[in-house]
Amino acid sequence: MERALTEAARSRRADLQGRGRGRGLLLLEAIGTLIGESGDLHATLDRIVGLVADRLDMEVCSIYRFAPESNRLFLVATHGLDPSSVGTVSMRVDEGLTGFVIEKSEPVMAIDALAHPRYKYFPETGEERYHSFLGVPIVDRREPLGVLVVQTSRRRRFTRDEVRLMKAVAVPIGGLLVQLRLLESLESKEEERRGYQQRMLDAIKRLQTYERQQPSSSEPSEVTAVRLLGVPAAPGFGIGRAHLLVPEVSFASVPERRPLAPRKELARFQAAITQAAEEIERLKQRVQASYPEIDAALFDTQRLMLTDESFRKRVADEITAGASAETALERVVTAMVDEFTRLDDPYLKERAVDVKDIGQRALRNLLGVAERDRSFASAVVLVAPELTLSDILLVEPEQLKGFVMGSGGATSHASILAKSLEIPTVVGVGRVEAIHEGDHLIVDGNAGTIYVHPSGEVLREYSRLKDEYAAFNRELDSLRTQPAVTRDGCRVMLGANIGLLGDLPLAHRHGADRVGLYRTEIAFLSHRDFLSEGEQVTLYDRVAQAAKGLPLTVRTLDLGADKYPSYLNVPREANPFLGWRSIRVSLELASVFKTQLRAILRASAVSPLRIMLPMISSLEELRRSKELLEEAKDELRREGHPFEEAVPFGMMVEVPSAVQLADRFIEEVDFFSIGTNDLIQYLLAVDRNNRKVASLYEPLHPAVLRAVASVVRVANQAGKPVSLCGEMAADPVCTLVLIGMGLRDLSMSAFFIPVIKRLIRSVDIAAAERVTAAALELATVKEVKRHVFEVMRALDVIDLMETYH
Ligand code: PEP
Ligand code: MG
């Protein structure tokens, strides 16, 4: 009986699979016929999307074309989305799930696209109704041509057969897109001519419309919905009325004035500077009281700039040469802003805003104008061409719903601050002047979009998204106090990687067990010189205090490659990642290195911490570093500075030579931390920052897995702690394999901790060990991924983080 039932089930499955295959062949045949009859390429694409949607029983099927010159995707055909969005909807490749398909060069699937971190809302398409998403790349000789997408409103998984079929369907569509490209290049000359004609016609139409509007009404013009694009700088959705920030005083309108005697002008300037420094100090106090999580170093940077000797001297020289204090200040600030703006380093470039901010503050004091009160009765979104720290901090946080900045990047102080305050922020918005005081705004800090006077529909949609986003965060929040322990009781420690003091509140919020990596070089990047020992002791103490008892792994400077402070004389290098970077810099600048070791040691007297060396590639480097550590300890003993004698001293394993020599290294260190960000690039010879080869950068490459597994084995056999602190630790697809290797300590950006925790809490370590054992036997990335996905599916742990790799 049982056998008969099994037989029946098997034959039914075979029948269904057969029918599935038959369905696929019929679809491909029908597409072939359509193409054979094709007269018009666009009409053919339209018919294909209709056919695919119909035969696969999907509500939406769309084709997007990839334009490499603009790195954007354009919707060229759709069944199910608003047809008027064809030709109008386009997205950057780093936006949305469709872009993700191009980035990955592989199918991407999301059961609930709306909750997926890469989801981007395009109101024109009406696609918010559709929850499940499957996109496959359309390629021609390895070059991406576009993406074929299907969507359904019901939350569902797509079967492996459906993914295969979509890939097969993408092949003939690829041929059509190549033809389309050829056709367009032939038409481009004609297009140019038509374009010119069209522009003339448009201009005439605009003129006519303008003329029609002129006499017609004295009523206020009707508000029109506008959508502005920028760079997302702090996530979340904010809704409120626009408040435009206009500075109280401006250098552009400083009244010409005959200077007093230079001595008097100098005294006025000095008084203005003193007053400005006091204001900044008060601001700092106020911020520390109302925003305890904000890194006060931000204000110290401004105060340092203000009291900087060379700044004062430059202004004093102008005054001595006959300028008034205002004019002298204006000249120096303008020159300094210009100097900062021309710097290559994006972080330092953005300090130009701080220079303007302090200049403005000093000018206001010179002119005797008081600071404006900025309290609001209702929700506001602050809008300015440029927002300064002071602008943000003068507004009461309860009413602040968003920030919109015309310029600036994601690492400006205002953006960093916005992130710590968790206020949705979009920067680099090209047309901020399209926003007027009191305009109704939606700030989408996830997608980098601003809606001015959104329609009721968009507003409702965003209110819903806002609630869903909050619910998603609440769900993950509920895991905060739960340990990352597998169902069969195996505990995994989840650490946070930090660079700024401001990262620590997030680490606590997301339930980090420790700080697995503190990148000390980040603080050095925003200073004008190496930090002194005292400055470093203060900084590390503050970080340790803010860590509130979480054990801290402090990594020594990892400068060079893509992290240059302006004061470090880095030679121009053909291959900076293979050049003068990291421990090589520290060992050459031995006194800087020893100063840092002394500072970390001194901080160890009060807080539990470990010292970690980056990028060790030879025993000589390790031994020389240990000598310097011993020298630093001797000096501190002699000077009577307390420190923890037994402070653990470890190294990152992130260079292939360290993997090969792991058994030798482990004898000489207290712990390992595997830095897969670098290890992958060095092992696979794939630049971690080069988009062109991004698809080759593969954490699940068998060579990477073997390397990581061998390091873990060596450390475990030696009975010494080993952790992993590269981005791989935050990739849910890698989690099973990593814990199955025996890793019990993963460190990542705090944001990912809840997701990884949720995954660990849903599996057994025994299952993870089996996955790893099997994965280590496989020879290709594809095989590894297929295996991992199959197991994750069988364990039912593929959820909304799901993507096909
Ligand atoms: C790494 O290389 O994996 C790592 C954690 O260090 P960083 O990203 O700072 O190079
Ligand atoms: Mg590294």
Side-chain angles (χ1 to χ4, degrees):
M1 173 70 180
E2 198 174 294
R3 170 124 38 91
L5 281 176
T6 320
E7 275 306 319
R10 191 178 298 142
S11 100
R12 179 167 157 64
R13 207 164 40 235
D15 185 35
L16 279 174
Q17 278 170 357
R19 268 202 270 149
R21 274 200 207 104
R23 182 178 67 157
L25 280 178
L26 285 175
L27 174 60
L28 286 171
E29 191 188 2
I31 291 177
T33 312
L34 267 181
I35 294 176
E37 293 168 0
S38 163
D40 174 327
L41 281 171
H42 283 286
T44 311
L45 290 171
D46 283 344
R47 290 173 69 189
I48 290 178
V49 287
L51 196 65
V52 175
D54 180 45
R55 300 282 173 90
L56 295 188
D57 199 17
M58 304 286 167
E59 284 146 281
V60 175
C61 177
S62 314
I63 298 171
Y64 295 81
R65 257 179 91 189
F66 175 55
E69 57 296 344
S70 59
N71 208 29
R72 296 185 79 85
L73 281 157
F74 294 85
L75 180 65
V76 287
T78 185
H79 169 97
L81 298 184
D82 186 343
S84 67
S85 53
V86 171
T88 58
V89 161
S90 85
M91 60 204 74
R92 287 199 317 264
V93 159
D94 57 350
E95 290 177 325
L97 282 168
T98 314
F100 203 31
V101 179
I102 292 282
E103 279 189 341
K104 288 263 167 199
S105 290
E106 269 163 333
V108 168
M109 166 162 115
I111 293 166
D112 193 339
L114 304 192
H116 193 286
R118 275 295 296 256
Y119 174 72
K120 181 164 180 201
Y121 176 54
F122 292 95
E124 304 92 309
T125 61
E127 72 171 352
E128 69 280 10
R129 292 195 295 279
Y130 304 108
H131 285 278
S132 295
F133 171 102
L134 169 64
V136 298
I138 305 171
V139 283
D140 177 52
R141 275 167 291 169
R142 290 166 165 249
E143 280 306 308
L145 290 176
V147 182
L148 174 65
V149 172
V150 286
Q151 290 167 280
T152 63
S153 55
R154 183 170 65 84
R155 284 182 180 79
R156 55 158 294 186
R157 286 182 208 292
F158 297 89
T159 65
R160 211 164 345 129
D161 279 344
E162 282 170 332
V163 177
R164 284 201 189 116
L165 188 51
M166 286 280 285
K167 279 166 123 179
V169 169
V171 176
I173 297 178
L176 291 176
L177 293 186
V178 170
Q179 282 184 39
L180 200 61
R181 194 181 278 176
L182 278 174
L183 197 70
E184 280 177 354
S185 75
L186 286 175
E187 283 177 354
S188 69
K189 285 273 168 291
E190 171 65 359
E191 194 100 335
E192 239 171 62
R193 199 181 58 76
R194 275 205 308 263
Y196 175 69
Q197 246 176 14
Q198 189 58 47
R199 281 198 299 280
M200 296 306 286
L201 281 173
D202 285 349
I204 292 168
K205 243 190 255 161
R206 273 203 306 278
L207 202 65
Q208 287 167 346
T209 320
Y210 177 68
E211 280 168 359
R212 266 203 310 277
Q213 281 174 351
Q214 283 315 293
S216 68
S217 75
S218 52
E219 291 162 25
S221 66
E222 208 175 86
V223 289
T224 37
V226 181
R227 179 163 165 256
L228 306 174
L229 297 179
V231 179
F237 307 104
I239 301 175
R241 296 273 172 192
H243 174 65
L244 306 191
L245 278 179
V246 232
E248 291 102 335
V249 294
S250 148
F251 282 113
S253 55
V254 175
E256 274 298 319
R257 192 177 57 74
R258 270 171 67 124
L260 309 170
R263 192 175 39 81
K264 290 195 174 151
E265 291 292 340
L266 273 173
R268 289 181 65 232
F269 170 65
Q270 187 51 51
I273 291 288
T274 311
Q275 205 171 335
E278 283 166 9
E279 281 175 7
I280 292 176
E281 184 55 33
R282 276 200 299 278
L283 198 56
K284 178 175 160 183
Q285 309 285 341
R286 175 174 158 191
V287 166
Q288 280 177 333
S290 21
Y291 302 96
E293 43 283 285
I294 288 176
D295 186 352
L298 300 177
F299 300 96
D300 297 336
T301 312
Q302 282 208 350
R303 222 190 22 221
L304 277 176
M305 283 179 173
L306 200 57
T307 51
D308 177 65
E309 213 29 68
S310 69
F311 166 63
R312 290 181 192 223
K313 184 163 175 331
R314 284 170 77 166
V315 179
D317 286 349
E318 292 284 345
I319 292 176
T320 320
S324 69
E326 289 87 343
T327 307
L329 184 65
E330 188 256 336
R331 285 183 194 156
V332 173
V333 168
T334 311
M336 280 175 71
V337 167
D338 195 43
E339 286 156 22
F340 272 87
T341 315
R342 272 189 280 117
L343 290 175
D344 281 339
D345 183 317
Y347 185 86
L348 291 173
K349 214 185 189 70
E350 283 169 9
R351 300 289 75 76
V353 183
D354 293 311
V355 176
K356 265 192 214 165
D357 195 12
I358 59 159
Q360 207 95 38
R361 190 176 282 284
L363 179 66
R364 191 176 41 65
N365 283 316
L366 267 177
L367 298 174
V369 176
E371 241 171 332
R372 210 178 285 148
D373 175 35
R374 295 209 180 101
S375 44
F376 299 94
S378 58
V380 288
V381 172
L382 286 192
V383 182
E386 219 166 50
L387 276 175
T388 64
L389 275 187
S390 329
D391 290 331
I392 296 176
L393 296 168
L394 284 172
V395 181
E396 290 303 329
E398 301 82 60
Q399 301 301 356
L400 253 188
K401 300 300 169 207
F403 294 127
V404 177
M405 275 181 252
S407 60
T411 58
S412 70
H413 274 159
S415 302
I416 295 172
L417 191 59
K419 249 178 248 152
S420 323
L421 298 175
E422 302 194 342
I423 293 178
T425 299
V426 180
V427 300
V429 179
R431 290 168 41 220
V432 267
E433 65 284 356
I435 305 176
H436 303 101
E437 182 74 24
D439 279 354
H440 203 173
L441 297 187
I442 296 179
V443 182
D444 180 342
N446 293 23
T449 313
I450 314 294
Y451 293 87
V452 188
H453 295 305
S455 66
E457 204 181 321
V458 172
L459 201 58
R460 270 192 300 284
E461 191 49 40
Y462 265 94
S463 303
R464 188 183 63 75
L465 273 178
K466 205 166 152 232
D467 293 346
E468 277 187 9
Y469 187 71
F472 176 65
N473 283 336
R474 266 198 309 277
E475 188 207 326
L476 292 179
D477 256 10
S478 64
L479 287 176
R480 195 171 62 81
T481 51
Q482 310 277 339
V485 53
T486 59
R487 289 192 316 187
D488 47 354
C490 178
R491 177 75 203 264
V492 181
M493 302 306 281
L494 298 183
N497 293 350
I498 66 161
L500 285 172
L501 200 57
D503 292 328
L504 276 163
L506 280 186
H508 293 301
R509 249 221 14 239
H510 294 300
D513 297 309
R514 54 184 63 182
V515 174
L517 168 64
Y518 169 30
R519 292 181 166 103
T520 56
E521 63 277 2
I522 306 294
F524 282 67
L525 291 178
S526 61
H527 278 67
R528 6 178 99 220
D529 204 347
F530 289 108
L531 274 78
S532 68
E533 184 175 324
E535 283 170 329
Q536 288 186 62
V537 175
T538 312
L539 175 68
Y540 304 147
D541 275 347
R542 291 199 62 193
V543 170
Q545 267 169 35
K548 299 185 188 150
L550 295 186
L552 194 63
T553 302
V554 184
R555 183 175 73 181
T556 62
L557 288 178
D558 188 23
L559 293 171
D562 53 354
K563 292 180 268 194
Y564 298 115
S566 55
Y567 50 84
L568 182 67
N569 256 335
V570 183
R572 272 230 167 280
E573 296 179 299
N575 293 301
F577 276 96
L578 302 179
W580 196 56
R581 71 168 288 209
S582 196
I583 194 71
R584 298 169 186 172
V585 175
S586 295
L587 287 174
E588 195 167 319
L589 307 180
S591 69
V592 171
F593 190 23
K594 201 164 9 138
T595 303
Q596 181 174 37
L597 290 170
R598 284 173 55 103
I600 306 174
L601 282 168
R602 284 175 61 185
S604 75
V606 270
S607 317
L609 58 81
R610 315 194 293 180
I611 302 177
M612 180 161 77
L613 303 172
M615 223 197 135
I616 293 287
S617 63
S618 70
L619 279 144
E620 288 85 343
E621 285 168 343
L622 175 64
R623 290 177 184 156
R624 177 69 190 129
S625 305
K626 285 177 86 169
E627 277 168 21
L628 288 170
L629 179 77
E630 287 314 313
E631 282 175 28
K633 284 183 173 177
D634 282 347
E635 288 171 11
L636 293 178
R637 275 185 214 108
R638 276 200 305 277
E639 293 161 20
H641 284 298
F643 64 91
E644 171 55 58
E645 286 282 352
V647 61
F649 194 66
M651 61 178 264
M652 294 199 59
V653 180
E654 52 182 343
V655 182
S657 58
V659 175
Q660 293 290 326
L661 289 177
D663 55 337
R664 307 304 295 270
F665 279 115
I666 200 70
E667 292 169 1
E668 306 194 20
V669 293
D670 297 314
F671 67 92
F672 278 163
S673 188
I674 306 170
T676 44
N677 299 345
D678 277 314
L679 184 58
I680 296 171
Q681 76 163 345
Y682 292 135
L683 208 52
L684 305 183
V686 178
D687 182 341
R688 66 194 258 189
N689 295 329
N690 183 343
R691 285 176 60 92
K692 184 87 183 128
V693 289
S695 60
L696 301 175
Y697 188 93
E698 256 310 339
L700 287 177
H701 193 294
V704 174
L705 297 187
R706 285 192 191 186
V708 175
S710 76
V711 176
V712 175
R713 197 177 327 112
V714 166
N716 285 347
Q717 275 167 5
K720 295 196 176 168
V722 55
S723 61
L724 187 144
C725 62
E727 291 305 306
M728 187 178 179
D731 185 342
V733 181
C734 302
T735 308
L736 276 183
V737 182
L738 294 179
I739 61 173
M741 277 177 194
L743 270 164
R744 297 289 176 267
D745 190 344
L746 304 173
S747 192
M748 61 203 81
S749 303
F751 179 80
F752 295 101
I753 291 177
V755 173
I756 299 297
K757 190 183 277 186
R758 189 167 58 169
L759 182 56
I760 290 175
R761 289 174 62 84
S762 341
V763 295
D764 289 326
I765 198 69
E769 281 165 0
R770 282 197 299 278
V771 181
T772 309
L776 286 171
E777 294 299 315
L778 298 172
T780 67
V781 176
K782 275 211 158 55
E783 285 167 4
V784 173
K785 286 183 173 173
R786 193 180 314 132
H787 177 67
V788 174
F789 272 108
E790 271 164 14
V791 175
M792 287 179 81
R793 192 170 297 113
L795 295 175
D796 204 20
V797 289
I798 293 193
D799 54 9
L800 52 86
M801 290 303 292
E802 178 169 8
T803 53
Y804 267 84
H805 283 239

